[in-house]
């Protein structure tokens, strides 16, 4: 055999290049089809088949056709979904855009409730799911896994991704508080789920340190360390763009390039310290939108906002397409079908424990007109779809749990994502109408995030006045309520008087860069 010749039966270089071209063409074609189909569905107001569901179905159909043809091996080779690609290039834009698109006024006006649902609620959901998986495994009703691995599974499936529900919220119009609760919880919930998963994974590799205080310490170190890295990177970028005056010198390209690089700087810095890059880039997005974005020129603002929205849409659509493709072509661990079935039931129970217990805590300190209603609780429970983050952590579990548990977890997670996206996502509009939280019967149903900001800005003062007046509640309740009311505007005051003037080139109290929003806030 000639030197350098491929082994007998192996594809030649030309055949590999041809297969690579076919694979890339297939991926681009599916992306184009998904975006065109999504546009047509939105235009015709077909809510029972959201964009994420359409992308999943496209992947399922194409993967099914490839699996019954003689091109399965070559197609599988060039449609291989490497973890490095996902964690370095697909997931960061999705997470950054989540933080970057966060509207500050609705978020901070519901900050206490959002933190309760995202941190306390995610912890409850993770523990409930993990304990149920472990207990049912002990009595041999489901696939048996050790306690730590059950907790890892509980942590990764507690990450919600209600992108489908939120898009329908905006199309139909819903109350600003409900939208803010669902969106804010989903943003911070990812950070909590990642930190819980990494903490449990570290306990598995270091079994000698399974002390409860060590577990708590490691979690706090991972979560707040990653958050501090992201916030610090965001503040550094704000000061850089404030004093560099790149926009004044018409260096728009350089300005935009630096702005795009900072999120990845935050991500890699956290990973270099052994923290979570995803949590870091999430908080970088929140800080950069609030303090760095106003320092950009108008041209750079338009470009960067469009670019991150584009990258996030491409990445998320590709992830859902791949999940459908992977189900059709990859050998999944379907032998433990009972584990998959009960896992779906477990996450529904855990979501209910999360929502109703946290809503009870929030309602204890809220005035009567601000309490979370029964309809909102049901809508929050129904909005717990799973998506890109749960899939990413399930992929990671295949390598973290090499004994076969990881593959079972991946199969169960994919099944949960498909079920929640196709069934729950497709029936969201019917659920919202049944609960009477959308449409003309709703007193407040802004059509976009901008409308939500204006609505919240106009009503913050009214809410505060009503709260000060008080009611016939007990004095102890009034004292607690007033403490919360005093702390609620304290961050806004700190932001307006100190943070915004220090980190931005605009000393005025601007909630966003749109002049219409600033005028609405001032009035």
């Amino acid at each position: 055999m000639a030197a350098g010749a491929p082994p007998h039966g192996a594809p030649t270089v030309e055949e590999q290049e041809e297969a690579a071209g076919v694979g890339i063409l297939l991926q681009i074609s599916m992306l184009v089809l998904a975006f065109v189909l999504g546009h047509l569905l939105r235009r015709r107001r077909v809510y029972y088949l959201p964009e994420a569901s359409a992308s999943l179905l496209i992947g399922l159909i194409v993967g099914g056709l490839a699996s019954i043809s003689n091109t399965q091996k070559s197609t599988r080779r060039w449609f291989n979904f490497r973890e490095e690609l996902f964690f370095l290039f697909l997931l960061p834009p999705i997470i950054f855009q989540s933080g970057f698109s966060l509207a500050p006024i609705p978020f901070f006006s519901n900050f206490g409730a959002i933190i309760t649902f995202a941190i306390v609620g995610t912890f409850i959901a993770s523990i409930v799911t993990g304990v149920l998986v472990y207990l049912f495994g002990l009595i041999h009703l489901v696939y048996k896994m050790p306690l730590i691995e059950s907790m890892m599974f509980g942590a990764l499936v507690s990450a919600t991704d209600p992108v489908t529900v939120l898009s329908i919220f905006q199309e139909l119009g819903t109350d600003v508080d409900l939208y803010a609760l669902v969106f804010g919880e989903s943003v911070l919930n990812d950070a909590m789920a990642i930190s819980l998963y990494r903490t449990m994974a570290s306990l598995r590799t270091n079994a000698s340190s399974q002390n409860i205080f060590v577990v708590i310490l490691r979690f706090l170190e991972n979560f707040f360390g990653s958050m501090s890295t992201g916030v610090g990177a965001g503040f550094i970028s704000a000061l850089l763009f404030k004093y560099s005056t790149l926009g004044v010198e018409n260096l728009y390209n350089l300005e935009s390039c630096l702005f795009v690089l900072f999120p990845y700087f935050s991500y890699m810095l956290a990973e270099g310290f052994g923290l979570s890059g995803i949590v870091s880039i999430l908080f970088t997005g929140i800080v950069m939108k609030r303090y760095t974005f106003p320092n950009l020129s108008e041209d750079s603002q338009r470009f960067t906002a469009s670019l991150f929205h584009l990258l996030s849409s491409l990445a998320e659509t590709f992830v859902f397409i791949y999940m459908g493709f992977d189900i059709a072509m990859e050998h999944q661990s379907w032998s433990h079908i009972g584990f998959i079935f009960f896992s779906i039931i477990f996450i529904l129970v855990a979501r209910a424990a999360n929502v109703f217990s946290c809503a009870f805590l929030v309602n204890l300190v809220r005035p009567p007109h601000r309490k979370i209603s029964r309809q909102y609780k049901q809508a929050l429970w129904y909005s717990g779809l799973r998506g890109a983050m749960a899939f990413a952590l399930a992929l990671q579990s295949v390598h973290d749990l090499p004994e076969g548990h990881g593959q079972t977890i991946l199969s169960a997670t994919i099944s949960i994502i498909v079920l929640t996206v196709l069934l729950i996502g497709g029936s969201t509009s019917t659920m919202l109408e049944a609960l009477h939280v959308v449409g003309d019967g709703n007193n407040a149903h802004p059509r976009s995030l901008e409308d939500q900001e204006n609505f919240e800005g106009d009503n913050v003062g009214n809410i505060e006045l009503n709260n000060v007046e008080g009611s016939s509640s007990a004095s102890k309740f009034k004292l607690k309520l007033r403490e919360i009311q005093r702390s609620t505007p304290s961050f806004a005051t700190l932001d307006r008087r100190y943070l915004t003037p220090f980190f931005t080139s605009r000393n005025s109290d601007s909630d966003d860069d749109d002049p219409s929003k600033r005028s609405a806030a001032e009035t």
Side-chain angles (χ1 to χ4, degrees):
M1 190 184 337
H8 180 69
T12 63
V13 175
E14 291 78 9
E15 291 175 341
Q16 292 180 2
E17 292 178 353
E18 181 181 356
V22 171
I24 294 173
L25 177 62
L26 179 63
Q27 296 173 34
I28 294 175
S29 300
M30 287 193 290
L31 282 171
V32 171
L33 180 59
F35 281 112
V36 171
L37 181 59
H39 170 71
L40 293 176
L41 292 172
R42 283 198 311 272
R43 187 174 181 180
R44 296 181 180 275
R45 298 181 181 273
V46 181
Y47 299 125
Y48 59 83
L49 187 63
E51 293 178 70
S53 303
S55 302
L56 264 174
L57 291 177
I58 290 172
L60 279 169
I61 294 171
V62 175
L65 293 176
S67 65
I68 61 177
S69 66
N70 56 4
T71 61
Q72 179 176 2
K73 290 184 178 179
S74 60
T75 306
R76 174 77 270 177
R77 184 185 306 117
W78 295 110
F79 205 85
N80 189 22
F81 196 75
R82 295 182 177 88
E83 284 184 29
E84 295 79 9
L85 171 69
F86 187 82
F87 283 101
L88 292 178
F89 298 104
L90 293 180
L91 196 58
I94 297 174
I95 302 302
F96 178 80
Q97 178 64 17
S98 297
F100 192 73
S101 61
L102 194 67
I105 291 179
F107 177 79
F108 287 110
S109 64
N110 292 277
F111 186 72
I114 290 172
I115 289 295
T116 303
F117 282 107
I119 296 182
V120 179
T122 303
F123 181 79
I124 292 173
S126 174
I127 296 298
V128 169
T129 304
V131 169
L132 287 176
V133 168
Y134 177 69
L135 293 178
F136 274 64
L138 289 180
I139 59 178
H140 304 288
L141 285 179
V142 301
Y143 181 69
K144 185 177 180 181
M145 291 193 300
L147 179 60
I148 295 297
E149 297 179 10
S150 300
M151 292 298 178
M152 291 172 64
F153 175 68
L156 70 89
V157 295
S158 64
T160 60
D161 184 18
V163 60
T164 300
V165 174
L166 292 174
S167 65
I168 297 175
F169 275 12
Q170 287 189 336
E171 290 290 331
L172 297 178
T174 187
D175 184 81
V176 289
D177 288 330
L178 178 59
Y179 189 101
L181 286 174
V182 174
F183 184 62
E185 182 209 0
S186 68
V187 170
L188 299 182
N189 158 277
D190 288 342
M192 183 71 177
I194 293 172
S195 299
L196 283 173
Y197 178 85
R198 288 200 168 192
T199 302
M200 296 302 172
S202 65
L203 288 179
R204 181 183 177 275
T205 56
N206 189 11
S208 61
S209 61
Q210 291 185 8
N211 185 285
I212 184 63
F213 297 105
V214 176
V215 173
I216 296 174
L217 183 62
R218 286 188 177 181
F219 168 75
L220 294 176
E221 176 187 5
N222 187 281
F223 182 81
F224 289 103
S226 304
M227 181 181 69
S228 301
T229 303
V231 171
F235 282 145
I236 291 172
S237 69
L239 293 175
L240 173 65
F241 284 97
K242 178 180 179 180
Y243 294 108
S244 61
T245 63
L246 296 176
V248 176
E249 300 176 9
N250 296 323
L251 299 174
Y252 304 128
N253 291 337
L254 177 59
E255 191 179 37
S256 300
C257 289
L258 288 175
F259 190 89
V260 171
L261 288 175
F262 256 96
Y264 275 98
F265 167 75
S266 169
Y267 180 90
M268 299 310 299
L269 181 65
E271 291 291 335
F273 284 127
L275 302 171
S276 172
I278 296 300
V279 176
S280 178
I281 201 173
L282 168 65
F283 285 97
T284 300
I286 297 174
V287 173
M288 289 185 71
K289 177 59 182 293
R290 182 64 176 170
Y291 302 107
T292 309
F293 192 74
N295 295 331
L296 299 179
S297 61
E298 291 185 3
D299 290 338
S300 297
Q301 285 181 357
R302 285 191 294 268
F303 173 77
T304 53
S306 301
L307 176 64
F308 282 117
H309 180 73
L310 168 68
L311 293 176
S312 175
S313 298
L314 283 171
E316 194 145 30
T317 302
F318 182 84
V319 168
F320 280 107
I321 288 175
Y322 177 79
M323 280 192 286
F325 192 89
D326 189 71
I327 292 172
M329 293 196 66
E330 190 71 22
H331 174 69
Q332 303 291 342
S333 179
W334 302 116
S335 57
H336 305 292
I337 193 69
F339 178 80
I340 297 173
F341 173 76
F342 279 103
S343 295
I344 295 171
I345 297 177
F346 294 160
I347 67 163
L348 294 176
V349 173
R351 180 68 181 171
N354 169 357
V355 170
F356 291 100
S357 61
C358 290
F360 174 77
L361 294 176
V362 171
N363 285 340
L364 286 177
V365 295
R366 277 196 169 189
H369 66 282
R370 290 274 289 165
K371 289 185 183 295
I372 300 175
S373 65
R374 178 178 57 85
Q375 290 88 345
Y376 282 15
K377 294 175 188 177
Q378 294 172 353
L380 283 166
W381 174 77
Y382 205 84
S383 302
L385 280 71
R386 269 61 177 179
M389 180 56 65
F391 181 61
L393 294 177
L395 278 177
Q396 183 67 42
S397 71
V398 175
H399 294 276
D400 293 340
L401 307 174
E403 297 85 357
H405 300 329
Q407 190 61 46
T408 302
I409 288 176
L410 177 61
S411 299
T413 304
I414 290 176
S415 302
I416 291 169
I417 294 172
V418 171
L419 177 71
T420 56
V421 170
L422 290 180
L423 297 184
I424 298 179
S427 59
T428 298
S429 60
T430 305
M431 177 272 298
L432 294 176
E433 292 171 355
L435 294 177
H436 305 291
V437 293
V438 295
D440 296 334
N442 194 16
N443 292 329
H445 53 283
R447 311 295 286 190
S448 63
L449 276 175
E450 288 82 1
D451 295 330
Q452 293 171 27
E453 293 187 8
N454 293 336
F455 177 87
E456 286 291 337
D458 292 337
N459 284 278
V460 167
N462 295 335
I463 291 171
E464 195 172 334
L465 289 174
N466 290 336
N467 289 346
V468 170
E469 303 224 351
S471 60
S472 59
S473 303
S475 58
K476 187 176 181 181
F477 176 81
K478 286 184 177 180
L479 290 174
K480 289 182 180 179
L481 185 58
R482 286 171 182 169
E483 288 179 9
I484 294 174
Q485 291 168 345
R486 292 192 192 101
S487 63
T488 300
S490 64
F491 179 81
T493 304
L494 176 67
D495 175 58
R496 182 177 66 254
R497 293 182 179 178
Y498 303 105
L499 295 180
T500 297
F502 183 76
F503 288 106
T504 69
S505 55
R506 303 177 184 179
N507 294 329
S508 60
D509 183 18
S510 59
D511 293 315
D512 224 317
D513 299 281
D514 190 346
S516 63
K517 295 178 193 177
R518 293 198 299 271
S519 62
E522 290 168 0
T523 59

